[in-house]
Amino acid sequence: QITTVSGNEFLLQSDIDFLILDWFHAIKNAIDRLPKERSCTSRNLEFKLRRSSSIELLSSLDTESKEPKPEHRKSLIFRLNYSASDTNDRSRVKSRLKKFISRRPSLKTLQDKGLIKDQIFGSHLHLVCEHEKSTVPQFVRLCIKAVERRGLDVDGIYRVSGNLATIQKLRFVVNQEEKLNLDDSQWEDIHVVTGALKMFFRELPEPLFPYCFFEQFVEAIKIQDNATRIKSIRSLVKKLPKPNYDTMKILFEHLKKIAAKESVNLMSTQSLGIVFGPTLLRPEKETGNMAVHMLYQNQIVELMLSEYSKIFGSEED
């Protein structure tokens, strides 16, 4: 943990000893290179790099006055502490953990007893839908409803980030509680709601556009003839699993309403493509073509928004 004189705090963590030492020496060298008069104007600069199992590296500089105290003649004092009983302590902890794990109830048992609730964030889309006996997650419906009620005219809706701590709090509430009221004052900032909705799609183990469809969508968007390109995208969309198709349809219908208010919220289909492209579809394994893929991801979302009725409409349409 590094605390600067301005009050900023930074936490660096690693389980690898040589990385910790590299960080430590890099910070030490940076401080040593500071001019003496500058380093002596800092007050109570203190930082710790800590490895929880064995190593604590501590450096401190006390500069109550312009002239360092005798015990602080050197700009930094370093201490490397090892606990002689670390090995025995770790052995005892491992032994206790093994006993605990061998006696712990299964996940299914805890879920059956209601002690652990099925997670919404981080679960596969089809599992969330099966649990809710629906084809579109209730959380997605609630977010869309809230945004359409009080966010269509908000400048930069979906582009502007909400407070991350509040978004994480909302995520926790969704995972732990059965009922969710997005009209509660703590979710008043609509950017928190949009941030949570984007986080839901980002944390799907498999994106809304399944991995096996990624290359097919990329090849379809490359087609030069517009009518053929739309027909190809439409054909792929129709092949998606029911939860993916229904969730995609309701989401894109919602985003189309956002784009319709572009003159007020400044969110065009292109802007929404940039925001949602990498969130909704991505390759299973990243390659060196990330920049190219991102371009196609954005274009796919943009096309599906601008040609929504042709892609999601009935055959007669």
Side-chain angles (χ1 to χ4, degrees), residues 245-256:
Y245 176 84
D246 287 355
T247 302
M248 189 179 296
K249 184 176 181 181
I250 194 174
L251 175 65
F252 275 79
E253 182 181 15
H254 165 64
L255 295 179
K256 193 170 181 295

Side-chain angles (χ1 to χ4, degrees), residues 245-294:
Y245 176 84
D246 287 355
T247 302
M248 189 179 296
K249 184 176 181 181
I250 194 174
L251 175 65
F252 275 79
E253 182 181 15
H254 165 64
L255 295 179
K256 193 170 181 295
K257 294 177 182 178
I258 298 288
K261 292 271 194 172
E262 177 189 355
S263 60
V264 181
N265 59 38
L266 306 180
M267 291 300 290
S268 62
T269 55
Q270 184 180 17
S271 299
L272 291 168
I274 292 171
V275 170
F276 279 93
T279 299
L280 300 181
L281 70 159
R282 58 185 181 272
E284 186 168 9
K285 294 181 179 179
E286 295 291 354
T287 64
N289 299 322
M290 287 180 63
V292 177
H293 280 162
M294 186 172 293

Side-chain angles (χ1 to χ4, degrees), residues 118-128 200 203-206:
D118 290 331
Q119 302 289 287
I120 301 299
F121 281 77
S123 294
H124 285 275
L125 182 65
H126 71 277
L127 294 178
V128 175
F200 170 81
E203 292 191 1
L204 288 173
E206 185 168 30

Side-chain angles (χ1 to χ4, degrees), residues 83-307:
S83 173
S85 60
D86 272 352
T87 303
N88 293 333
D89 289 343
R90 285 199 296 273
S91 297
R92 284 196 294 271
V93 170
K94 285 181 181 178
S95 177
R96 290 177 182 175
L97 281 175
K98 285 179 181 178
K99 289 179 181 178
F100 171 75
I101 291 171
S102 64
R103 293 197 304 264
R104 82 190 194 282
S106 66
L107 178 61
K108 187 176 187 309
T109 302
L110 293 173
Q111 289 174 335
D112 290 342
K113 290 181 178 180
L115 297 175
I116 293 182
K117 182 181 178 291
D118 290 331
Q119 302 289 287
I120 301 299
F121 281 77
S123 294
H124 285 275
L125 182 65
H126 71 277
L127 294 178
V128 175
C129 291
E130 285 175 11
H131 175 71
E132 298 179 350
K133 295 179 174 57
S134 172
T135 55
V136 179
Q138 181 65 12
F139 177 67
V140 173
R141 292 184 184 275
L142 289 173
C143 287
I144 287 174
K145 185 178 178 181
V147 175
E148 291 184 357
R149 189 169 58 252
R150 51 192 174 95
L152 291 179
D153 296 335
V154 175
D155 185 3
I157 191 71
Y158 282 112
R159 185 185 68 241
V160 176
S161 300
N163 181 275
L164 183 57
T166 309
I167 293 172
Q168 291 287 7
K169 182 180 179 182
L170 177 54
R171 178 185 186 277
F172 177 81
V173 170
V174 171
N175 276 339
Q176 299 299 320
E177 299 180 8
E178 291 292 339
K179 293 183 179 180
L180 174 66
N181 179 18
L182 289 178
D183 289 328
D184 190 293
S185 60
Q186 61 184 324
W187 321 125
E188 181 180 3
D189 181 5
I190 197 64
H191 297 303
V192 167
V193 177
T194 57
L197 181 60
K198 288 187 292 183
M199 181 179 286
F200 170 81
F201 284 112
R202 273 199 310 272
E203 292 191 1
L204 288 173
E206 185 168 30
L208 187 60
F209 289 71
Y211 288 130
C212 60
F213 282 84
F214 179 80
E215 291 298 337
Q216 297 177 66
F217 273 99
V218 169
E219 291 304 314
I221 201 65
K222 291 179 182 178
I223 298 173
Q224 295 298 313
D225 180 68
N226 190 54
T228 307
R229 182 167 60 240
I230 294 171
K231 185 177 179 181
S232 181
I233 294 285
R234 173 191 170 90
S235 176
L236 289 171
V237 167
K238 297 294 183 185
K239 293 177 183 178
L240 293 172
K242 184 68 171 171
N244 298 70
Y245 176 84
D246 287 355
T247 302
M248 189 179 296
K249 184 176 181 181
I250 194 174
L251 175 65
F252 275 79
E253 182 181 15
H254 165 64
L255 295 179
K256 193 170 181 295
K257 294 177 182 178
I258 298 288
K261 292 271 194 172
E262 177 189 355
S263 60
V264 181
N265 59 38
L266 306 180
M267 291 300 290
S268 62
T269 55
Q270 184 180 17
S271 299
L272 291 168
I274 292 171
V275 170
F276 279 93
T279 299
L280 300 181
L281 70 159
R282 58 185 181 272
E284 186 168 9
K285 294 181 179 179
E286 295 291 354
T287 64
N289 299 322
M290 287 180 63
V292 177
H293 280 162
M294 186 172 293
L295 176 64
Y296 292 138
Q297 290 162 333
N298 301 349
Q299 290 177 347
I300 290 166
V301 172
E302 184 179 351
L303 177 72
M304 291 176 64
L305 284 174
S306 58
E307 303 294 346

